Amino acid sequence: MGKIKACLFDLDGVIVDTAKYHYIAWRELAKELGFDFTEEDNERLKGVSRMTSLEILLEIGGVTLSEEEKIRFADKKNENYRTFILKMQPDEILPGAKSFLEELKTKGIKIALGSASKNAMTILDRLELTYLFEAIIDGTKVSQAKPDPEVFLKGAEELNVKPEECVVFEDAEAGVEAAKAGKMKCVGIGSTDVLGKADIVIDGLHQMDYNKLLSLEN
Ligand code: BG6
Ligand code: MG
């Protein structure tokens, strides 16, 4: 790749752990529909859009719903989820995330968000991080879900950089695939078993700094 000019961040699981709130809200819905939803099942919803998450949930429970009911239940889950995120505080930012974003800013690296969530703006505002992002591409701005590269390609475009000049930070397999499909470098956050296609895999942004970022140029 050429010089690194921009970093694109997934939100859920990279900057903040919202999976626990998604889990509580989906579990309540499952209960209402008459089945159990485990934390292990919840792994399948990471990085996946709201409606696809619902489809997976219904498949797990063996429940069939009409399109109207699906929309009603997805809305209901989202309302419940929002009661949690509206109470979020900046101390819920994952370790090392804010300091890395600030370091990138001082070094002149451009920063964008690339998230499937339609609640991304609310979350960034609650965490007081919005000012760090020059471009925010969220679930309201894309038509193709990850592993399609649309979300990251739009981010690069808004930042005015080439895909080859971008590094993506992702915790979901579909997100790593999206970055690679977009011809970007990718730092996986989580386990190598799941994120093996990333260029490097780390436990969290606390293990990242500008020098390590530059080592990806080689
Ligand atoms: C992703 C999460 O970032 O956003 C998924 O990893 C979630 O679990 C998806 O389903 C959509 O989020 P929202 O906030 O639009 O329901
Ligand atoms: Mg994620």
Side-chain angles (χ1 to χ4, degrees):
M1 79 183 291
K3 269 194 114 25
I4 293 168
K5 292 193 181 157
C7 287
L8 282 65
F9 291 86
D10 174 48
L11 177 64
D12 297 313
V14 171
I15 292 174
V16 68
D17 176 23
T18 43
K20 56 186 181 218
Y21 303 134
H22 280 296
Y23 175 58
I24 298 170
W26 285 125
R27 193 184 52 193
E28 276 185 30
L29 195 68
K31 201 172 156 198
E32 195 181 324
L33 292 167
F35 62 93
D36 286 334
F37 178 62
T38 66
E39 245 174 295
E40 199 187 331
D41 293 331
N42 192 52
E43 286 301 307
R44 292 180 59 193
L45 309 189
K46 287 188 179 171
V48 171
S49 76
R50 192 181 308 162
M51 280 318 270
T52 309
S53 296
L54 177 65
E55 302 280 358
I56 296 171
L57 187 92
L58 296 176
E59 184 200 304
I60 291 167
V63 173
T64 313
L65 295 179
S66 70
E67 285 309 308
E68 279 149 58
E69 284 171 321
K70 280 184 196 168
I71 291 168
R72 188 168 66 80
F73 279 113
D75 285 350
K76 192 169 182 186
K77 178 267 170 182
N78 190 51
E79 267 171 45
N80 191 0
Y81 174 65
R82 282 185 64 86
T83 63
F84 294 102
I85 60 171
L86 286 169
K87 285 186 271 189
M88 285 177 93
Q89 297 291 327
D91 65 5
E92 287 186 58
I93 299 170
L94 287 171
K98 190 169 186 184
S99 57
F100 180 53
L101 289 167
E102 282 170 342
E103 186 187 15
L104 292 175
K105 206 141 193 96
T106 63
K107 301 289 185 189
I109 301 284
K110 294 181 175 185
I111 302 171
L113 191 84
S115 167
S117 172
K118 293 184 170 151
N119 292 297
M121 285 301 304
T122 306
I123 296 169
L124 286 183
D125 284 347
R126 288 296 311 165
L127 300 177
E128 297 172 12
L129 289 176
T130 312
Y131 76 100
L132 287 162
F133 292 85
E134 272 173 70
I136 295 176
I137 313 297
D138 64 13
T140 66
K141 293 190 182 164
V142 291
S143 53
Q144 300 298 317
K146 300 169 187 175
D148 189 283
E150 183 187 9
V151 65
F152 296 129
L153 293 177
K154 279 200 167 161
E157 198 182 312
E158 266 199 39
L159 293 177
N160 238 322
V161 295
K162 299 193 193 98
E164 301 80 38
E165 297 165 334
C166 296
V167 177
V168 168
F169 294 82
E170 255 295 348
D171 72 312
E173 188 180 14
V176 173
E177 285 170 4
K180 289 283 125 195
K183 304 208 163 31
M184 297 176 179
K185 287 269 171 173
C186 186
V187 177
I189 306 226
S191 94
T192 325
D193 297 349
V194 187
L195 308 172
K197 290 178 194 141
D199 295 279
I200 57 167
V201 178
I202 57 174
D203 293 334
L205 291 176
H206 58 285
Q207 290 177 345
M208 200 65 208
D209 61 25
Y210 181 65
N211 285 331
K212 201 161 178 177
L213 180 77
L214 291 191
S215 71
L216 291 168
E217 283 181 351
N218 307 316

